[in-house]
Amino acid sequence: MSRGGVSTPILHVDMDAFYASVALRERPDLVDQPVVVGGSGRGVVLAANYVARRHGLRSALPMTRARRMCPQVVVLEPDYALFTAVSASVMETFREVTPIVEAMSLDEAFLDVRGSTRRLGDPPDIAERLRSTIHDEQGITCSVGVAATVSVAKLASRRAKPDGVIVVPPAEVTSFLHPLDVGELYGVGEKTQALLHRFGLMTVGDVAHTPLRTLQRAVGAHLGRELHHLAWGTDRSDLAPSAGPHEPDKSMGANETFARDTDDRDFIVRELLRLSARVGGRMRSAGVAGRTITLTVRFADFTTITRSRTLSEATDVTVEIHRAVTRLYDALGLQRARLRLVGVRVEGLVPRSSVQRQLVLGEPEHGWAEADRAVDRATRRFGAAAVRPASLV
DNA sequence: TCTGGGGTCCTAGGACCC
DNA sequence: TCTGGGGTCCTAGGACCC
């Protein structure tokens, strides 16, 4: 350890099979059985415990396939309110270690512990201490990667799973990274992995030793540069603390996969209203409005298209969102095409207070914003189920 | 009766403006 | 009258992440 600062100040903490672990706290009788958290019907596996993983079950696997692969699997419904509450407690534990916490999702975060070593010891000690605190307080396990940069810490935590710690000192970064498959790198998914493999780049070491220009020709200027850094472990080590009022969302949306494919326009337009109401309600409670409205349509064969329209001024009004997506839908001119999903998204969000509504005299629109506020008030008092547009009743 | 839902970012072409 | 060079906005698609 060098004097004047630790060499591996970044911790990546990742809960092990988070949703499944939390769900199993409520059902300790099931811990030795294969358990997944997931929806029913056309859903996918959201989390699989380690017993289920021995049967090949993984996140994102279609539930139908999961049941076929492991008929005895126990499926638990997700309880997002519970997951969110546990996550908040865990994040609180992180902030007792350091104020510099960058949350990536409900179940993982980066911590910069540079300022905590005098009080709490070296980063590996801090990692172990965190793990035992979380285990004692929450009854779930986590894994921690400790390194000098964000991406190396993240890869280390993955390697540490389940229930472990891996420290990668600077001198060992390349020997740790270079044997890994390119698909392990952050930002390399299925498509880019296949592309890189086709170029003969199988490992992170292969990527590291490819000239930058060649890499950029293969995957584009931006990703090429990014991969070069990741392959040498020279990515960022500065975190963007997500405590307190963090970055506002840039878009909000909702989509729904139907229980069965449909070409029924009336049904689809009603679904668009539900989704518009959900998005509009969330926008209003967040105090934002947006100008660009996007419709997503996924056909039965899974091909997916989007159509968007930018309005002259930002809105958070359910009826206006719904009208925009309905127009986009009708403009598609679909005849008999069966749809499996529709989605509504509003982009370019700005604080509602910054939007100057032009009040056109006698404009019939006028009343809709007030109607939304009434719906929002009623929803807060009686719940979402009690308040919905007449055409949805 | 394979393939969720909520997001972010990048690319690329065309329009439009200076 | 033989061809610029940005910069910004809009649209569509695609890849990726958790």
Side-chain angles (χ1 to χ4, degrees), chain A residues 295 297 299 305-307 327-335:
Chain A
L295 166 75
V297 166
F299 298 98
I305 61 172
T306 62
R307 291 293 180 269
R327 282 183 181 159
L328 290 166
Y329 172 77
D330 284 330
L332 289 173
L334 302 181
Q335 303 295 334

Side-chain angles (χ1 to χ4, degrees), chain A residues 74 140 155 165 316 351:
Chain A
V74 178
I140 59 178
L155 289 169
V165 175
D316 63 358

Side-chain angles (χ1 to χ4, degrees), chain A residues 31-48:
Chain A
V31 286
D32 295 323
Q33 308 207 31
V35 171
V36 300
V37 173
S40 47
R42 299 172 108 171
V44 298
V45 173
L46 298 171

Side-chain angles (χ1 to χ4, degrees), chain A residues 357-368:
Chain A
R357 281 293 293 184
Q358 288 175 14
L359 291 178
V360 179
L361 223 56
E363 192 186 11
E365 307 304 302
H366 203 139
W368 289 117

Side-chain angles (χ1 to χ4, degrees), chain A residues 106-186:
Chain A
L106 285 186
D107 77 326
E108 61 176 287
F110 292 101
L111 281 64
D112 181 341
V113 299
R114 255 177 276 248
S116 314
T117 53
R118 193 177 294 270
R119 183 167 54 98
L120 300 173
D122 287 341
D125 302 332
I126 296 177
E128 284 299 358
R129 182 196 180 97
L130 262 176
R131 280 164 28 75
S132 66
T133 302
I134 290 168
H135 185 262
D136 293 350
E137 291 180 354
Q138 303 297 336
I140 59 178
T141 65
C142 64
S143 300
V144 183
V146 184
T149 67
V150 157
S151 90
V152 177
K154 186 158 167 63
L155 289 169
S157 73
R158 186 183 300 172
R159 179 59 61 91
K161 281 181 171 297
D163 200 12
V165 175
I166 283 191
V167 182
V168 182
E172 292 170 24
V173 165
T174 55
S175 61
F176 171 73
L177 287 179
H178 287 191
L180 301 177
D181 187 281
V182 290
E184 302 271 329
L185 293 178
Y186 191 87

Side-chain angles (χ1 to χ4, degrees), chain A residues 329-350:
Chain A
Y329 172 77
D330 284 330
L332 289 173
L334 302 181
Q335 303 295 334
R336 281 266 156 59
R338 302 180 73 76
L339 307 189
R340 78 175 273 137
L341 168 147
V342 292
V344 175
R345 176 163 295 277
V346 181
E347 300 172 65
L349 301 185
V350 293

Side-chain angles (χ1 to χ4, degrees), chain A residues 239-263:
Chain A
L239 304 187
S242 37
H246 60 286
E247 304 244 324
D249 285 337
K250 296 178 175 163
S251 69
M252 287 189 186
N255 59 61
E256 179 120 38
T257 296
F258 307 136
R260 51 169 47 113
D261 302 339
T262 180
D263 61 359

Side-chain angles (χ1 to χ4, degrees), chain A residues 226-241:
Chain A
E226 189 72 19
L227 294 187
H228 185 78
H229 278 297
L230 294 177
W232 286 106
T234 52
D235 59 298
R236 72 191 173 99
S237 63
D238 55 314
L239 304 187

